[in-house]
Amino acid sequence: MRPPLLNPLFAPITSLAGIGPKQDRLFRHLLDREDTARILDLLLHLPASVIDRRARPKIRDAIPGTVVTLEVTVDRHRPVPGRNPRAPHLVYASDETGDVVLTYFRAQPGYVEKLLPVGTKRYVSGTLQMFDGIPQIVHPDRVVDEAGFAKLSGIDPVYPLTEGLALGSVRRAVAQALQKLPHLPEWISPEVIRRCKFPPFAEALNRVHIPVELTDILPEGPFWSRLAFDELLAGQLALALVRAQLRRPAGDRHAGDGHLRSKIIDALPYALTPSQRQAAAAITQDLHQPVRMLRLLQGDVGSGKTVVALLAAAAVAEVGKQAALMAPTEILARQHIKTIAPLAESAGLRVAILTGREKGRERRDILARLAEGEIDFLVGTHALIQDDVAFKALALAVVDEQHRFGVRERLALTAKGEAVDVLVLSATPIPRTLVLTYFGDMDVSELREKPAGRQPIDTRAVPDIRLQEVIDAVGRALKAGKLVYWICPLVEESEMVDLTDAAARFESLKARFGEKVGLVHGKMRGPEKDRVMAQFAAGEIGLLVATTVVEVGVDVPAASIMVIENAERFGLAQLHQLRGRIGRGSEASTCLLLYKEPLNEMSAARLKAIRETTDGFRIAEEDLKLRGEGDVLGVRQSGLPGYRIARPGVHAQLIAQARDEALRIMKDNPRLKGERGQALRCLLYLFERDEALPLIGAG
Ligand code: ADP
Ligand code: MG
């Protein structure tokens, strides 16, 4: 149960003065809360910048275009003249060095007179402008008297806003929310407090919202860092608590004697690479451990992760248990089943696919067989985590391209069995810091070498003024019977624009090359997509125009040429993923990166990097350098999904420290007992990572 101490923080923000239903709706939107926005959400909504009002020049010395606070005497008013409501109400004021005009548009009658009575002294703060040679402030942000000035902070926080919500409303709400902050016990150990020089939680929160120095709101500063550490510690501790519970019942081992696996290996038309063998061995070992497996299998596109996943599935099937593989797209799921099915069959492993496309009778039939244990390995999309999908004995969850799924989806899949082992497949090498954030301590296997017989890819950058030459070259390649991808750019995440571009290119290429041209895009229905892909794989279509739906996993080994339009718009990881679609067969491949001139520095650096190497690990490192960690996972630069305060670029160091602290806690006080335990429980509730607490009982 949540400590009652925290109740004030979980009260709805409508309990604050001035927040009615309309404001509540705006705040809910701002704070990304579906049901109720709470005081806590408000407190964790941190400022993005500040306005510095500390400059207090005389009028004569005030610099136009800057924010100033002037001490003035109000001389006279010129109210809105006659019936011209568009004209402003002007207030003339002065100090001993000159005059200033304060301008109010559409003010309530009487409001300005009351705010700035003639003959009084006022402190007025806002952006000074020159208008016809006269200093002017339009709608001063602050107008206060002597008493008000004494309380005026010289630095105002500026919050991220949402349409319809004024900065002042957010500031006032936050100020009230800070008043509700109870005295909380310290949850960080004294050593860490000392080493990191962290201020107390309440001080950190207050200083970020009511900055005293301009630097107080910087994410790398002590106050924000303290809060980020708290958030990260809550995350790491929750992961550690869950993980500590992930022991399996004694004797319940998930890997069998290897009879199915050796059948599969015998049926392979190739030899496993050494790193595939190592990964499979590591997985077998994990499956034998009394603690559940949490392993990340990283390897470039085409490095052969699917067969390793299949071997893992076979291992659990050997003891009569089931496995599931969840892929982010339907194309990918079908690709997997295509690789898996023939191999599985040769070993007598029963596989099936479940996506949004299996419906009605077919779906019911799959679900029935799954519940009966007649399916050993189910491959699919997030259709796998629907409520009515029930396994007889799910023991292994394989999640492909994990970063497209949230942690919630991953948990939803593992919740469908008992003590389910988890294998995550990723073609994008994930930086260690991010692995820690989302998985805590996860084991990692890497597929570093490429399967034998792969040809290098010749990658070239070509300015798009040479488009015609490229089209001619594609024409020659088609004549020679080659298979060509033509990738159209992703525009601003908008699928519609995306589609228009691809469709237009499709039409123009079709006009030139006729029926040999096909089109596949994200808006297409599944069966249609598959049909086009199958035609391409069979060589009936020679030139496939595609949006980035082919980004992940599509496997047509015969394709040996790829043209990427507007390559300058793609991220490095994405270019790498795309290019991974070629160079899979025995033929030498070519990748042409068409770009629009002029290239900015970042795009030029990306195109250079992609030309220089095909090693995904090197590309990931380069990408990290160029863009920061957030983008490696395709998330916004600013944050980690599921984290409000911690920033991967800024707080990477803190992630490791939070993990160390969590591990220490798990060692010393795994059931969170006593005073410190209580404090840590507070922390978990505060950052809503309390899901593990029921597992360890009351403190
Ligand atoms: P990934 O999922 O890592 O991108 P896949 O598992 O789809 O790669 O494998 C890509 C292709 O390489 C598949 O056609 C697969 O059959 C083939 N393959 C996998 N392992 C090997 C190997 N050791 N030798 C040769 N080909 C392999
Ligand atoms: Mg794959």
Short mmCIF file of all heavy atoms in Angstrom, two decimals, residues 465-503:
data_model
loop_
_atom_site.label_atom_id
_atom_site.label_comp_id
_atom_site.label_asym_id
_atom_site.label_seq_id
_atom_site.Cartn_x
_atom_site.Cartn_y
_atom_site.Cartn_z
N ILE A 465 20.96 15.47 -59.09
CA ILE A 465 20.93 16.01 -60.46
C ILE A 465 21.34 14.93 -61.46
O ILE A 465 21.11 15.05 -62.65
CB ILE A 465 21.89 17.23 -60.64
CG1 ILE A 465 23.22 16.96 -59.93
CG2 ILE A 465 21.26 18.52 -60.15
CD1 ILE A 465 24.31 17.93 -60.29
N ARG A 466 21.91 13.85 -60.95
CA ARG A 466 22.29 12.75 -61.84
C ARG A 466 21.26 11.62 -61.81
O ARG A 466 21.56 10.47 -62.14
CB ARG A 466 23.68 12.25 -61.44
CG ARG A 466 24.78 13.27 -61.83
CD ARG A 466 26.12 12.91 -61.25
NE ARG A 466 26.57 11.58 -61.66
CZ ARG A 466 27.58 10.91 -61.10
NH1 ARG A 466 28.25 11.47 -60.11
NH2 ARG A 466 27.92 9.72 -61.53
N LEU A 467 20.06 11.97 -61.41
CA LEU A 467 18.97 10.99 -61.34
C LEU A 467 18.82 10.20 -62.65
O LEU A 467 18.66 8.98 -62.65
CB LEU A 467 17.66 11.71 -61.01
CG LEU A 467 16.39 10.84 -60.98
CD1 LEU A 467 16.44 9.86 -59.81
CD2 LEU A 467 15.14 11.71 -60.86
N GLN A 468 18.87 10.92 -63.75
CA GLN A 468 18.65 10.28 -65.04
C GLN A 468 19.68 9.18 -65.30
O GLN A 468 19.34 8.09 -65.73
CB GLN A 468 18.68 11.33 -66.16
CG GLN A 468 17.85 10.95 -67.37
CD GLN A 468 16.45 10.41 -66.97
OE1 GLN A 468 15.71 11.06 -66.25
NE2 GLN A 468 16.12 9.21 -67.43
N GLU A 469 20.93 9.48 -64.99
CA GLU A 469 21.98 8.48 -65.15
C GLU A 469 21.70 7.25 -64.30
O GLU A 469 21.94 6.11 -64.73
CB GLU A 469 23.33 9.04 -64.66
CG GLU A 469 24.06 9.93 -65.64
CD GLU A 469 25.23 10.61 -64.94
OE1 GLU A 469 26.08 9.89 -64.37
OE2 GLU A 469 25.26 11.85 -64.91
N VAL A 470 21.21 7.51 -63.08
CA VAL A 470 20.92 6.40 -62.18
C VAL A 470 19.80 5.54 -62.76
O VAL A 470 19.87 4.31 -62.76
CB VAL A 470 20.56 6.92 -60.77
CG1 VAL A 470 20.02 5.80 -59.90
CG2 VAL A 470 21.78 7.55 -60.12
N ILE A 471 18.79 6.21 -63.29
CA ILE A 471 17.67 5.46 -63.89
C ILE A 471 18.17 4.63 -65.08
O ILE A 471 17.80 3.46 -65.24
CB ILE A 471 16.53 6.42 -64.30
CG1 ILE A 471 15.90 7.02 -63.03
CG2 ILE A 471 15.48 5.69 -65.12
CD1 ILE A 471 14.81 8.04 -63.29
N ASP A 472 19.05 5.21 -65.87
CA ASP A 472 19.61 4.47 -67.01
C ASP A 472 20.36 3.22 -66.52
O ASP A 472 20.22 2.13 -67.09
CB ASP A 472 20.56 5.35 -67.82
CG ASP A 472 19.82 6.47 -68.55
OD1 ASP A 472 18.57 6.37 -68.67
OD2 ASP A 472 20.47 7.45 -68.97
N ALA A 473 21.14 3.41 -65.47
CA ALA A 473 21.91 2.29 -64.93
C ALA A 473 20.98 1.20 -64.40
O ALA A 473 21.22 0.00 -64.59
CB ALA A 473 22.84 2.78 -63.82
N VAL A 474 19.89 1.64 -63.75
CA VAL A 474 18.90 0.68 -63.27
C VAL A 474 18.33 -0.09 -64.46
O VAL A 474 18.14 -1.31 -64.41
CB VAL A 474 17.78 1.39 -62.47
CG1 VAL A 474 16.57 0.50 -62.29
CG2 VAL A 474 18.32 1.84 -61.11
N GLY A 475 18.08 0.62 -65.55
CA GLY A 475 17.56 -0.02 -66.76
C GLY A 475 18.50 -1.12 -67.24
O GLY A 475 18.07 -2.23 -67.56
N ARG A 476 19.78 -0.84 -67.25
CA ARG A 476 20.75 -1.85 -67.71
C ARG A 476 20.75 -3.06 -66.77
O ARG A 476 20.80 -4.21 -67.20
CB ARG A 476 22.15 -1.24 -67.77
CG ARG A 476 22.35 -0.28 -68.95
CD ARG A 476 23.82 0.06 -69.15
NE ARG A 476 24.43 0.78 -68.04
CZ ARG A 476 24.33 2.10 -67.86
NH1 ARG A 476 23.64 2.85 -68.71
NH2 ARG A 476 24.91 2.68 -66.83
N ALA A 477 20.67 -2.75 -65.46
CA ALA A 477 20.66 -3.84 -64.48
C ALA A 477 19.44 -4.73 -64.66
O ALA A 477 19.52 -5.96 -64.60
CB ALA A 477 20.71 -3.26 -63.06
N LEU A 478 18.30 -4.11 -64.90
CA LEU A 478 17.07 -4.88 -65.10
C LEU A 478 17.19 -5.78 -66.33
O LEU A 478 16.79 -6.94 -66.30
CB LEU A 478 15.87 -3.93 -65.28
CG LEU A 478 15.39 -3.21 -64.01
CD1 LEU A 478 14.28 -2.20 -64.36
CD2 LEU A 478 14.88 -4.21 -62.98
N LYS A 479 17.79 -5.22 -67.38
CA LYS A 479 18.00 -6.02 -68.60
C LYS A 479 18.84 -7.24 -68.31
O LYS A 479 18.64 -8.32 -68.87
CB LYS A 479 18.71 -5.16 -69.67
CG LYS A 479 17.73 -4.41 -70.55
CD LYS A 479 18.18 -4.45 -72.01
CE LYS A 479 17.24 -3.63 -72.86
NZ LYS A 479 17.47 -2.17 -72.59
N ALA A 480 19.81 -7.04 -67.39
CA ALA A 480 20.70 -8.15 -67.04
C ALA A 480 20.05 -9.11 -66.05
O ALA A 480 20.70 -10.01 -65.52
CB ALA A 480 22.01 -7.59 -66.48
N GLY A 481 18.78 -8.84 -65.71
CA GLY A 481 18.04 -9.75 -64.85
C GLY A 481 18.28 -9.55 -63.35
O GLY A 481 17.99 -10.42 -62.53
N LYS A 482 18.80 -8.38 -62.99
CA LYS A 482 19.05 -8.14 -61.57
C LYS A 482 17.79 -7.64 -60.87
O LYS A 482 16.89 -7.10 -61.51
CB LYS A 482 20.18 -7.13 -61.41
CG LYS A 482 21.48 -7.64 -61.99
CD LYS A 482 22.64 -6.75 -61.61
CE LYS A 482 23.86 -7.05 -62.43
NZ LYS A 482 24.75 -8.05 -61.88
N LEU A 483 17.76 -7.83 -59.55
CA LEU A 483 16.64 -7.33 -58.75
C LEU A 483 17.06 -6.05 -58.04
O LEU A 483 18.10 -6.01 -57.39
CB LEU A 483 16.20 -8.38 -57.73
CG LEU A 483 15.68 -9.70 -58.30
CD1 LEU A 483 15.16 -10.59 -57.18
CD2 LEU A 483 14.59 -9.48 -59.34
N VAL A 484 16.22 -5.03 -58.15
CA VAL A 484 16.58 -3.69 -57.66
C VAL A 484 15.53 -3.17 -56.68
O VAL A 484 14.33 -3.20 -56.97
CB VAL A 484 16.68 -2.70 -58.86
CG1 VAL A 484 17.12 -1.32 -58.37
CG2 VAL A 484 17.60 -3.23 -59.94
N TYR A 485 15.99 -2.67 -55.53
CA TYR A 485 15.11 -1.92 -54.63
C TYR A 485 15.24 -0.44 -54.94
O TYR A 485 16.35 0.05 -55.12
CB TYR A 485 15.55 -2.08 -53.17
CG TYR A 485 15.25 -3.39 -52.52
CD1 TYR A 485 16.27 -4.28 -52.23
CD2 TYR A 485 13.95 -3.72 -52.12
CE1 TYR A 485 16.02 -5.47 -51.57
CE2 TYR A 485 13.69 -4.91 -51.46
CZ TYR A 485 14.73 -5.78 -51.19
OH TYR A 485 14.48 -6.95 -50.53
N TRP A 486 14.13 0.25 -54.91
CA TRP A 486 14.17 1.72 -55.02
C TRP A 486 13.44 2.28 -53.81
O TRP A 486 12.22 2.17 -53.70
CB TRP A 486 13.50 2.19 -56.31
CG TRP A 486 13.70 3.65 -56.56
CD1 TRP A 486 13.20 4.68 -55.83
CD2 TRP A 486 14.48 4.25 -57.61
NE1 TRP A 486 13.62 5.87 -56.33
CE2 TRP A 486 14.40 5.64 -57.44
CE3 TRP A 486 15.24 3.74 -58.68
CZ2 TRP A 486 15.04 6.54 -58.29
CZ3 TRP A 486 15.87 4.63 -59.53
CH2 TRP A 486 15.78 6.02 -59.34
N ILE A 487 14.21 2.83 -52.89
CA ILE A 487 13.61 3.25 -51.62
C ILE A 487 13.27 4.73 -51.66
O ILE A 487 14.12 5.57 -51.95
CB ILE A 487 14.59 3.02 -50.45
CG1 ILE A 487 15.14 1.58 -50.45
CG2 ILE A 487 13.92 3.34 -49.12
CD1 ILE A 487 14.11 0.52 -50.23
N CYS A 488 12.02 5.04 -51.36
CA CYS A 488 11.61 6.44 -51.31
C CYS A 488 11.65 6.92 -49.86
O CYS A 488 11.48 6.16 -48.93
CB CYS A 488 10.21 6.59 -51.88
SG CYS A 488 10.25 6.34 -53.65
N PRO A 489 11.89 8.20 -49.72
CA PRO A 489 12.20 8.70 -48.37
C PRO A 489 11.00 8.75 -47.46
O PRO A 489 9.85 8.84 -47.89
CB PRO A 489 12.71 10.11 -48.63
CG PRO A 489 12.02 10.51 -49.88
CD PRO A 489 11.91 9.27 -50.71
N LEU A 490 11.34 8.73 -46.22
CA LEU A 490 10.37 8.91 -45.16
C LEU A 490 10.29 10.41 -44.94
O LEU A 490 11.29 11.06 -44.68
CB LEU A 490 10.93 8.25 -43.92
CG LEU A 490 10.11 8.27 -42.67
CD1 LEU A 490 9.05 7.20 -42.76
CD2 LEU A 490 11.01 7.99 -41.49
N VAL A 491 9.10 10.97 -45.09
CA VAL A 491 8.99 12.40 -44.92
C VAL A 491 8.29 12.71 -43.61
O VAL A 491 7.13 12.38 -43.44
CB VAL A 491 8.22 13.04 -46.09
CG1 VAL A 491 8.06 14.52 -45.88
CG2 VAL A 491 8.91 12.74 -47.39
N GLU A 492 9.02 13.29 -42.70
CA GLU A 492 8.42 13.83 -41.48
C GLU A 492 7.47 12.88 -40.77
O GLU A 492 6.46 13.30 -40.23
CB GLU A 492 7.61 15.09 -41.83
CG GLU A 492 8.43 16.21 -42.36
CD GLU A 492 9.10 17.00 -41.25
OE1 GLU A 492 8.35 17.62 -40.48
OE2 GLU A 492 10.33 16.97 -41.14
N GLU A 493 7.75 11.62 -40.80
CA GLU A 493 6.90 10.64 -40.13
C GLU A 493 5.48 10.60 -40.67
O GLU A 493 4.62 9.94 -40.13
CB GLU A 493 6.82 10.90 -38.62
CG GLU A 493 8.14 10.67 -37.93
CD GLU A 493 8.11 11.15 -36.50
OE1 GLU A 493 7.02 11.48 -36.00
OE2 GLU A 493 9.18 11.16 -35.88
N SER A 494 5.20 11.35 -41.72
CA SER A 494 3.84 11.35 -42.23
C SER A 494 3.71 10.31 -43.32
O SER A 494 4.29 10.41 -44.38
CB SER A 494 3.49 12.73 -42.79
OG SER A 494 2.58 12.59 -43.86
N GLU A 495 2.92 9.28 -43.02
CA GLU A 495 2.80 8.19 -43.97
C GLU A 495 2.15 8.63 -45.26
O GLU A 495 2.40 8.09 -46.32
CB GLU A 495 1.98 7.06 -43.35
CG GLU A 495 2.82 6.14 -42.51
CD GLU A 495 2.02 4.95 -42.05
OE1 GLU A 495 1.60 4.18 -42.92
OE2 GLU A 495 1.80 4.82 -40.84
N MET A 496 1.27 9.63 -45.17
CA MET A 496 0.56 10.05 -46.36
C MET A 496 1.52 10.68 -47.38
O MET A 496 1.50 10.34 -48.55
CB MET A 496 -0.55 11.06 -46.01
CG MET A 496 -1.80 10.41 -45.48
SD MET A 496 -2.18 8.81 -46.22
CE MET A 496 -2.78 9.33 -47.83
N VAL A 497 2.35 11.59 -46.89
CA VAL A 497 3.30 12.25 -47.79
C VAL A 497 4.25 11.21 -48.37
O VAL A 497 4.54 11.18 -49.56
CB VAL A 497 4.11 13.33 -47.04
CG1 VAL A 497 5.00 14.08 -48.01
CG2 VAL A 497 3.17 14.28 -46.34
N ASP A 498 4.68 10.36 -47.47
CA ASP A 498 5.51 9.24 -47.81
C ASP A 498 4.98 8.50 -49.02
O ASP A 498 5.66 8.21 -49.98
CB ASP A 498 5.40 8.29 -46.62
CG ASP A 498 6.71 7.66 -46.31
OD1 ASP A 498 7.72 8.18 -46.77
OD2 ASP A 498 6.69 6.65 -45.61
N LEU A 499 3.71 8.22 -48.89
CA LEU A 499 3.01 7.43 -49.88
C LEU A 499 2.98 8.15 -51.22
O LEU A 499 3.20 7.56 -52.27
CB LEU A 499 1.59 7.19 -49.36
CG LEU A 499 0.74 6.24 -50.14
CD1 LEU A 499 1.47 4.93 -50.27
CD2 LEU A 499 -0.56 6.03 -49.37
N THR A 500 2.67 9.44 -51.18
CA THR A 500 2.59 10.22 -52.41
C THR A 500 3.92 10.17 -53.14
O THR A 500 3.97 9.95 -54.35
CB THR A 500 2.27 11.69 -52.09
OG1 THR A 500 1.42 11.71 -50.97
CG2 THR A 500 1.61 12.36 -53.27
N ASP A 501 5.01 10.36 -52.41
CA ASP A 501 6.32 10.34 -53.02
C ASP A 501 6.60 9.00 -53.68
O ASP A 501 7.04 8.93 -54.82
CB ASP A 501 7.41 10.58 -51.96
CG ASP A 501 7.57 12.06 -51.68
OD1 ASP A 501 6.63 12.80 -52.00
OD2 ASP A 501 8.63 12.44 -51.17
N ALA A 502 6.34 7.93 -52.96
CA ALA A 502 6.62 6.61 -53.48
C ALA A 502 5.73 6.32 -54.69
O ALA A 502 6.19 5.78 -55.70
CB ALA A 502 6.41 5.56 -52.39
N ALA A 503 4.45 6.71 -54.58
CA ALA A 503 3.52 6.44 -55.68
C ALA A 503 3.95 7.21 -56.94
O ALA A 503 3.90 6.68 -58.05
CB ALA A 503 2.11 6.82 -55.26
#
